[in-house]
Amino acid sequence: MAQDVCPARSEPSLSFLQGLILGQLSVVLLIAAFIKFFIFGEAPSAEETASIRATERRSRTLAHKKSLLSLRSAATQRQGSQPPALPALNKKKSSILRSNPPTLTISSILDKTYYKVDSHQPESLDWFNVLIAQTIAQFRSDAQHDDAILTSLSKALNGNSRPDFVDEIRVSELSLGEDFPIFSNCRIIPVDEDGLQFGAGKAFDPKLATREGARLQARMDVDLSDMITLAVETKLLLNFPKRLSAVLPVALAVSVVRFSGTLSISFNPSNPSENTPTKMTFTFLDDYRLDFSIRSLLGSRSRLQDVPKIAQFVESRLHRWFDERCVEPRFQEIELPSMWPRKKNTRGGDEIIANIEQSINKAHGGDIAKEARQAVETEADGLRYRRRPVADDTYSVSGSMPGSLPGIDMPT
């Protein structure tokens, strides 16, 4: 009989109400932890962040150089195992043109320009700073004259890449700064076809610079302390479960306060056989320093101002954008136009007068400059015709009596 009795079921230790309360508390704790560590969490100091980024860039550059050297050694071994190439056919040269001089190597260029790589003192580039400052000042003046730069920024920010949950982006503040970059400590360094310095830390050996692709590279220090600001306003849209379920206003202002680094510039000569023009390449070394000042504002009523994590995220994205475009081993390449003097590029002379006349006509809405020129020419012709010779300075009127006033007929 005792075996037929069903055992009593064990009741759950927590009721439904207790489980609901526990679940709500866990959600609240997760939200509180998110607010504390993400929104109000302190970002690392600027010095610590800059040191970490510099270490990462340096390790990336060293890894790139190591891979280049390994590929170079493998290519050298492969070329050594291949049979020698057949000699190229000699083309018949013109008897009119003089024989070309020997190709100038890096060593001969340095000798003819009296530049000693190991002992030459770095240059200050004061003249270059003046020209760059004048160019930037003109650019800032043109930007204030019309809204071209504001229109371009608005089109770029509201292009096809803008996601659907972001409303139209409006530029609320734009400042191009007041100071100018200072270039200094310029030096010339021979590099190979991959941009690696010949015998880094050792005396320059001219024999190493004779292989194909070697070129001269100018390296200069750049320092800029300014306040270049771009501020935008937009709204984050929540389109679930229905369109515009929630709207979060967002304001963000990014300012570049300082930039310092090393700029490398080199020229790649043209190749007539491959029809490639002369190109200028520039890049920044991995030892640069770029500091931002980022301000943020979230919400319309209960606003969150200057959230550290947002500033850290935006700054990391800007550094990544800069590293992927013009920090070694990546570089920018610009094609240079032909430097031969041409008639279509000639300016000055009568064109200056014509431009002045055109600007005057455009400003006053009439052909005032042409009328002024015709008036001056008419006045000059009148003076030329009214001028008399010295012998005809005595006034005489036909039919006038002696002693009469000149130019008045006396009655007979």
Side-chain angles (χ1 to χ4, degrees):
M1 296 293 295
Q3 295 179 354
D4 297 337
V5 177
C6 295
R9 291 184 303 174
S10 60
E11 297 182 357
S13 59
L14 295 177
S15 63
F16 174 76
L17 181 60
Q18 292 175 340
L20 179 62
I21 295 175
L22 183 61
Q24 295 295 329
L25 286 177
S26 61
V27 172
V28 170
L29 289 176
L30 287 175
I31 294 175
F34 174 79
I35 294 175
K36 179 180 179 181
F37 294 104
F38 179 79
I39 297 180
F40 296 105
E42 295 183 358
S45 62
E47 296 295 333
E48 183 180 356
T49 305
S51 177
I52 293 174
R53 288 198 179 101
T55 304
E56 293 177 355
R57 290 194 299 266
R58 190 59 184 169
S59 60
R60 183 175 65 245
T61 304
L62 292 176
H64 177 72
K65 290 181 179 180
K66 188 179 296 184
S67 62
L68 284 178
L69 293 176
S70 61
L71 290 175
R72 230 182 248 173
S73 60
T76 304
Q77 294 177 359
R78 196 181 305 112
Q79 289 178 359
S81 60
Q82 291 179 354
L86 296 176
L89 297 177
N90 295 326
K91 296 183 179 180
K92 184 178 180 181
K93 297 182 179 180
S94 174
S95 60
I96 300 176
L97 297 175
R98 297 177 57 186
S99 58
N100 295 330
T103 305
L104 292 177
T105 60
I106 290 179
S107 178
S108 60
I109 292 175
L110 293 175
D111 290 340
K112 291 178 181 296
T113 53
Y114 307 103
Y115 193 96
K116 303 297 182 182
V117 176
D118 300 326
S119 60
H120 200 283
Q121 295 296 325
E123 300 180 9
S124 61
L125 294 179
D126 294 336
W127 62 273
F128 187 68
N129 292 329
V130 173
L131 294 180
I132 292 296
Q134 185 177 3
T135 304
I136 296 177
Q138 184 64 40
F139 171 75
R140 291 170 178 170
S141 177
D142 295 341
Q144 293 178 356
H145 184 267
D146 53 10
D147 295 336
I149 186 173
L150 185 61
T151 305
S152 301
L153 282 175
S154 300
K155 289 182 179 179
L157 294 174
N158 296 284
N160 297 327
S161 60
R162 179 168 60 90
D164 295 335
F165 60 87
V166 178
D167 197 8
E168 181 182 0
I169 302 175
R170 184 177 64 88
V171 179
S172 59
E173 182 184 355
L174 179 62
S175 175
L176 299 179
E178 299 178 354
D179 293 329
F180 304 101
I182 302 299
F183 297 84
S184 60
N185 195 24
C186 180
R187 58 270 187 200
I188 301 298
I189 299 175
V191 294
D192 57 12
E193 65 275 10
D194 296 320
L196 303 180
Q197 182 178 353
F198 288 108
K202 302 179 182 179
F204 173 64
D205 187 5
K207 296 180 180 179
L208 297 177
T210 55
R211 61 189 185 190
E212 186 180 359
R215 61 185 186 274
L216 295 173
Q217 187 180 85
R219 292 184 181 179
M220 59 196 76
D221 297 338
V222 187
D223 188 32
L224 173 64
S225 297
D226 204 349
M227 186 65 69
I228 304 174
T229 305
L230 173 64
V232 297
E233 294 179 354
T234 186
K235 296 178 182 178
L236 298 181
L237 309 176
L238 180 61
N239 297 322
F240 183 82
K242 62 179 182 178
R243 182 173 176 81
L244 298 180
S245 299
V247 177
L248 179 63
V250 178
L252 185 66
V254 180
S255 301
V256 180
V257 296
R258 188 189 174 188
F259 176 79
S260 61
T262 304
L263 174 64
S264 298
I265 300 177
S266 60
F267 292 93
N268 296 330
S270 60
N271 191 347
S273 60
E274 299 180 0
N275 196 18
T276 56
T278 303
K279 299 179 181 179
M280 183 189 72
T281 60
F282 70 91
T283 184
F284 290 93
L285 301 188
D286 54 14
D287 59 350
Y288 76 93
R289 174 76 179 268
L290 181 58
D291 295 336
F292 294 98
S293 175
I294 300 175
R295 306 187 307 273
S296 60
L297 190 63
L298 300 178
S300 57
R301 295 181 180 178
S302 57
R303 297 187 174 185
L304 295 177
Q305 186 174 1
D306 297 337
V307 180
K309 291 297 182 180
I310 294 179
Q312 186 179 2
F313 173 75
V314 173
E315 187 174 355
S316 64
R317 295 288 295 179
L318 292 175
H319 276 277
R320 180 181 175 183
W321 180 89
F322 186 71
D323 290 343
E324 291 177 352
R325 282 160 177 80
C326 51
V327 178
E328 63 173 0
R330 297 175 178 88
F331 56 88
Q332 290 290 315
E333 192 174 62
I334 302 174
E335 293 185 1
L336 298 180
S338 176
M339 302 299 292
W340 285 102
R342 296 183 178 181
K343 181 64 177 177
K344 65 178 182 180
N345 298 330
T346 304
R347 300 293 184 270
D350 296 337
E351 291 186 0
I352 297 179
I353 300 176
N355 292 335
I356 295 175
E357 292 178 354
Q358 185 178 2
S359 61
I360 294 175
N361 296 336
K362 186 177 181 180
H364 296 278
D367 202 0
I368 299 177
K370 185 176 181 180
E371 294 176 359
R373 172 177 284 188
Q374 291 177 356
V376 172
E377 293 177 354
T378 304
E379 185 68 20
D381 294 340
L383 291 175
R384 183 168 61 253
Y385 286 124
R386 281 183 293 180
R387 189 174 183 84
R388 297 174 179 271
V390 178
D392 296 338
D393 285 344
T394 304
Y395 290 91
S396 60
V397 181
S398 60
S400 62
M401 295 179 62
S404 63
L405 293 176
I408 301 177
D409 295 338
M410 300 299 292
T412 55

